[in-house]
Amino acid sequence: MTLSQTIVRTLEERIAAHRKDVKRENVGTVVEVGDGIARLSGLSKIGASEMIDFGKGVLGSALNLAEGEVGAIILGDDSKIEAGDTVKATGQILSVPVGEALIGRVVSPLGEAKDGGSAIPRTTLYPVEKIAPRVIERKSVTVPLQTGIMAIDSMIPIGRGQRELIIGDRQTGKTAVVVDTILNQKQTQTTDRPVICIYVAIGQKESKVAKIVDVLRAGGAMDYTIVVSAGASEPAALSYIAPFAGTAMGEYFLDQGKDVLCIYDDLSKHAWAYRQVSLLLRRPPGREAYPGDVFYLHSRLLERACCLDEKHGGGTITSLPIIETQAGDVSAYIPTNVISITDGQIYLESDLFYKGIRPAVNVGLSVSRVGSAAQRKSMKKVAGKLRLDLAQYRELAIFAQFGSDLDQATKKQLDRGARLTELLKQEQYRPMPVGEQVVLLYAGVNGLFDEVPVDQLKGVQHRLLGDMRSKHYDLLETLAGEITPEAEEQLKRLLTSFHGKKS
């Protein structure tokens, strides 16, 4: 045997030995299993967030990488796994299927069909965790995302690419706000910038998710919506990855230069799920037993909401996270964390809800840090005075209850405020087009409803809008964009004429 043959043979033997070692390093053993987590030995070369095949159709993901041991979350039924079972590292980062086939479907956080339909094709996979776009790739938020809710579109405008928190106690209408927003995107489907919606249900009852899907289907909204559901009865690990999986599905459309709306309902339950998984993996508890990186958990999720510049496709992801407070305490740990990450919040107040003011938006505590930069010119013009008028009305109403002697100016302001408050009440699942909102706000702010009794205002409002839809649709279309001098003159005449007929 020549020297060269000896060298080649030695190299081949070493390569074969190395392959055996690699194979051995990708196989491990279950040391302990229970409560949705497993401790594994032998996976010395596994990476963070790498997928693990437990066999029997159960997958997992490496979360804790310690010397001599791997802590993994189980994304399935842990009762099928026993101590001593052999597991295999797949070499792939935790990923989910993405693509057009998901639209109109209800899926699990792993991209598996939950609606009884055909299996979701796994031709294109996106990683669940991804670094957010850099500052240099982004541009300012300027295009509005209309919710169809007059109180929000007028005073707390949301732009495409923004992160706006919806916060309030349980049963104050938080989910109703986001469902209205999804329904309102139906009007964008015929434009050059349609919005694809992704509703992520985190730890919600299956019955609640089914009702929401029925509402969306009845409103024709499932044609552009993906529902990602991690049920309350499912492992906490699925609730933990659900919002990240939903965002990954949205990033597929972002990469195509499209606009996406991601709703996380809700991040309080997401934090609970992460706390449960972390404590079971023996991570050190911090404030309220949450692990130290719970802020980073939500910041790396919400930073993926973006408005990309034209060089990078010009797509947007708008995030509407929901947080549930306890007894209105917005200063609790998770609420303050998410408030500091987002670009504003819509605060829904229990007292307003029980008084029948729905949506129960507290104008004083709600804010949009993008503001009127993402608001249509017509809305900006009519809504300028609205917030101030309502704030003054609420202040005066508190003092007015202590005394009966009020001057005419104060009485007039109180009457105007009461009518504006009534005007902003809106039926659930009835989003309103921008043109109609502008008509009502113009009439309300300019005192054209001052003579109408408060209890008759809704009836007058419905008749006015019916009249506008049937006879002046072109004017509504114009007012949706800008109030031109000609359009304003025509609107004044119509409102005065309508007011004269009804008085």
Side-chain angles (χ1 to χ4, degrees):
M1 188 182 292
T2 64
L3 181 62
S4 60
Q5 286 176 323
T6 306
I7 292 169
V8 168
R9 187 171 176 181
T10 305
L11 285 172
E12 285 175 347
E13 287 172 354
R14 286 183 179 178
I15 289 168
H18 177 68
R19 281 178 179 158
K20 282 182 183 176
D21 287 342
V22 167
K23 194 173 180 183
R24 194 160 51 244
E25 285 162 354
N26 282 345
V27 176
T29 307
V30 177
V31 176
E32 184 185 343
V33 63
D35 295 317
I37 65 108
R39 297 183 198 286
L40 315 171
S41 65
L43 297 172
S44 58
K45 295 293 182 184
I46 197 169
S49 293
E50 189 174 328
M51 292 178 77
I52 300 165
D53 186 358
F54 285 93
K56 303 169 188 173
V58 180
L59 292 173
S61 177
L63 206 61
N64 267 21
L65 302 180
E67 191 175 346
E69 186 180 81
V70 172
I73 52 173
I74 301 169
L75 304 169
D77 185 2
D78 62 2
S79 64
K80 294 180 181 178
I81 304 164
E82 296 178 357
D85 284 357
T86 300
V87 298
K88 187 170 71 175
T90 63
Q92 291 181 328
I93 296 297
L94 183 59
S95 303
V96 289
V98 298
E100 305 282 343
L102 286 163
I103 295 176
R105 303 296 301 273
V106 182
V107 297
S108 75
L110 296 174
E112 299 159 341
K114 293 186 80 173
D115 53 6
S118 58
I120 306 294
R122 301 184 68 85
T123 48
T124 309
L125 297 174
Y126 266 41
V128 165
E129 291 268 18
K130 183 183 172 187
I131 295 172
R134 297 172 302 160
V135 171
I136 202 73
E137 297 170 13
R138 302 177 185 234
K139 66 174 183 179
S140 298
V141 175
T142 54
V143 181
L145 181 108
Q146 301 295 150
T147 64
I149 301 169
M150 195 158 38
I152 294 172
D153 289 341
S154 59
M155 295 180 287
I156 318 146
I158 300 170
R160 297 189 189 189
Q162 188 175 342
R163 301 157 300 182
E164 185 77 9
L165 172 63
I166 297 167
I167 187 168
D169 285 5
R170 66 188 300 275
Q171 300 295 323
T172 50
K174 300 185 295 297
T175 302
V177 167
V178 296
V179 172
D180 273 341
T181 305
I182 295 174
L183 291 171
N184 194 55
Q185 301 318 306
K186 188 172 184 179
Q187 60 186 310
T188 71
Q189 303 308 306
T190 55
T191 67
D192 60 339
R193 298 288 303 202
V195 178
I196 292 152
C197 303
I198 299 170
Y199 175 78
V200 184
I202 307 164
Q204 303 289 344
K205 291 185 288 187
E206 299 284 359
S207 58
K208 179 185 175 182
V209 178
K211 282 178 188 173
I212 290 168
V213 171
D214 286 344
V215 170
L216 295 177
R217 196 163 276 133
M222 283 304 286
D223 296 341
Y224 52 86
T225 302
I226 303 167
V227 175
V228 181
S229 173
S233 61
E234 294 178 311
L238 288 175
S239 289
Y240 156 57
I241 69 160
F244 294 100
T247 307
M249 293 169 190
E251 283 170 342
Y252 169 81
F253 300 103
L254 174 76
D255 290 345
Q256 296 179 359
K258 296 183 179 179
D259 293 336
V260 181
L261 170 64
C262 281
I263 291 156
Y264 310 117
D265 189 6
D266 63 65
L267 289 189
S268 298
K269 290 187 177 68
H270 183 233
W272 299 347
Y274 187 61
R275 175 171 61 183
Q276 178 181 325
V277 166
S278 296
L279 291 176
L280 287 167
L281 288 170
R282 296 178 191 167
R283 288 185 172 183
R287 179 176 163 187
E288 296 171 32
Y290 289 104
D293 63 340
V294 74
F295 178 90
Y296 177 55
L297 174 79
H298 287 152
S299 65
R300 73 177 187 263
L301 169 70
L302 293 170
E303 279 298 324
R304 287 161 75 177
C306 59
C307 179
L308 296 180
D309 62 22
E310 279 66 30
K311 284 183 193 172
H312 296 89
T316 66
I317 292 183
T318 309
S319 288
L320 295 182
I322 294 173
I323 287 286
E324 183 182 296
T325 53
Q326 307 289 328
D329 183 13
V330 294
S331 63
Y333 186 34
I334 300 301
T336 48
N337 276 356
V338 182
I339 285 170
S340 67
I341 298 164
T342 50
D343 306 310
Q345 67 275 347
I346 296 166
Y347 179 60
L348 302 176
E349 191 179 346
S350 301
D351 289 349
L352 294 175
F353 186 85
Y354 298 136
K355 285 176 187 173
I357 300 170
R358 300 174 189 178
V361 178
N362 181 313
V363 181
L365 292 179
S366 301
V367 65
S368 171
R369 296 189 186 98
V370 170
S372 58
Q375 197 172 30
R376 298 197 186 186
K377 289 180 181 177
S378 55
M379 185 63 82
K380 201 185 295 189
K381 187 170 181 178
V382 295
K385 286 173 62 185
L386 180 63
R387 192 175 187 125
L388 184 62
D389 285 352
L390 277 176
Q392 287 176 340
Y393 162 68
R394 298 225 168 126
E395 288 290 323
L396 282 172
I398 292 167
F399 289 107
Q401 64 187 343
F402 298 116
S404 55
D405 291 337
L406 300 171
D407 60 81
Q408 282 301 113
T410 306
K411 269 186 183 174
K412 189 177 178 183
Q413 206 165 1
L414 285 169
D415 289 344
R416 173 80 56 86
R419 281 157 182 78
L420 288 174
T421 302
E422 185 68 21
L423 198 65
L424 291 174
K425 290 181 186 177
Q426 202 166 327
E427 289 178 52
Q428 195 172 345
Y429 308 145
R430 293 283 178 86
M432 194 180 292
V434 186
E436 295 180 12
Q437 292 184 33
V438 170
V439 169
L440 293 178
L441 289 172
Y442 186 90
V445 169
N446 289 294
L448 293 167
F449 288 143
D450 284 3
E451 303 303 317
V452 180
V454 175
D455 58 347
Q456 295 176 25
L457 189 59
K458 280 294 169 198
V460 171
Q461 174 186 322
H462 289 316
R463 286 196 296 274
L464 172 61
L465 291 180
D467 198 46
M468 294 293 292
R469 285 187 210 112
S470 59
K471 299 176 186 174
H472 308 286
Y473 189 76
D474 290 345
L475 179 59
L476 287 176
E477 290 289 296
T478 305
L479 293 172
E482 189 173 358
I483 303 179
T484 60
E486 298 80 16
E488 185 171 11
E489 192 58 41
Q490 187 185 350
L491 180 59
K492 272 183 186 174
R493 280 201 312 272
L494 289 170
L495 289 172
T496 307
S497 160
F498 182 82
H499 188 265
K501 279 188 235 171
K502 303 302 168 194
S503 57

